[in-house]
Amino acid sequence: MPMHRGQSKTIMNSIKQYDDARVNMIIRPQKAKINYQFDSWITTNSPTWQKKSLVQIRRYQAIECNDGFFMDESDQCWKQIEIYPFIDEFYDEKRNIMREWLIGGACFYKEDDDTVDLHFCWIHPFYRNKGLLKKAWPIFKKRFGHFSISEPISKSFQGFLYSIGHSEV
């Protein structure tokens, strides 16, 4: 299937960001479309631009953790996924506006038996240890009740779980 001019530019930009992270260790927050905001939970029903932003964040996490997890923006991939986006606002000098930027995400997977797993949680290194996850944890508990945490669990995440009194480490 041939690509349209806009599609090839988008794919090349995505590959460039991935290569920047893999080769040059440059990790970029992902910007919201102009005059748009990220959903409070990004799901299969969210716009494609939001899913693409989360896919890029997931690529960064895969590089850092060397886990090889694959994710794309297709509905099939997102069918049982809900992702809580970690967001900050930055000033966009080019457009002279404040704009939302995605700086991380926590991915929850709903199993067929209605159990929920926290599959991954990644926050841009500049935003770690600032209480973002601790602040979001009650939101996760309210939305899902009990949920499991997928392995492997990093030492830093084990430390976080211990700090909040989570017993299943």
Side-chain angles (χ1 to χ4, degrees), residues 134-162:
K134 188 174 258 186
K135 182 179 176 185
W137 203 258
I139 297 168
F140 303 161
K141 297 298 279 182
K142 182 177 182 182
R143 187 168 185 101
F144 300 111
H146 175 78
F147 56 87
S148 300
I149 298 170
S150 296
E151 294 185 4
I153 302 172
S154 70
K155 294 237 184 258
S156 61
F157 202 75
Q158 287 176 20
F160 166 76
L161 293 171
Y162 179 78

Side-chain angles (χ1 to χ4, degrees), residues 17-18 21 27-28 30 50-73 77-78 81 83 102-108 118-124 150-152:
Q17 288 184 15
Y18 179 74
I27 300 172
R28 293 182 170 86
Q30 301 297 298
Q50 292 186 39
K51 292 187 242 179
K52 285 182 179 180
S53 293
L54 249 311
V55 167
Q56 184 61 36
I57 290 294
R58 180 59 182 99
R59 286 181 184 137
Y60 294 149
Q61 193 259 342
I63 291 167
E64 181 177 344
C65 298
N66 199 30
D67 67 4
F69 178 81
F70 178 76
M71 184 177 188
D72 62 33
E73 65 272 3
C77 179
W78 286 77
I81 290 176
I83 298 183
L102 183 68
I103 57 169
C107 176
F108 292 86
L118 173 58
H119 263 286
F120 72 82
C121 183
W122 187 88
I123 298 173
H124 190 284
S150 296
E151 294 185 4

Side-chain angles (χ1 to χ4, degrees), residues 75-99:
D75 286 346
Q76 182 64 28
C77 179
W78 286 77
K79 188 167 71 171
Q80 293 172 280
I81 290 176
E82 293 184 33
I83 298 183
Y84 178 83
F86 293 99
I87 298 166
D88 197 2
E89 285 192 336
F90 294 95
Y91 180 68
D92 184 338
E93 292 178 1
K94 186 176 179 182
R95 292 174 179 82
N96 194 30
I97 58 171
M98 291 300 288
R99 198 164 169 188

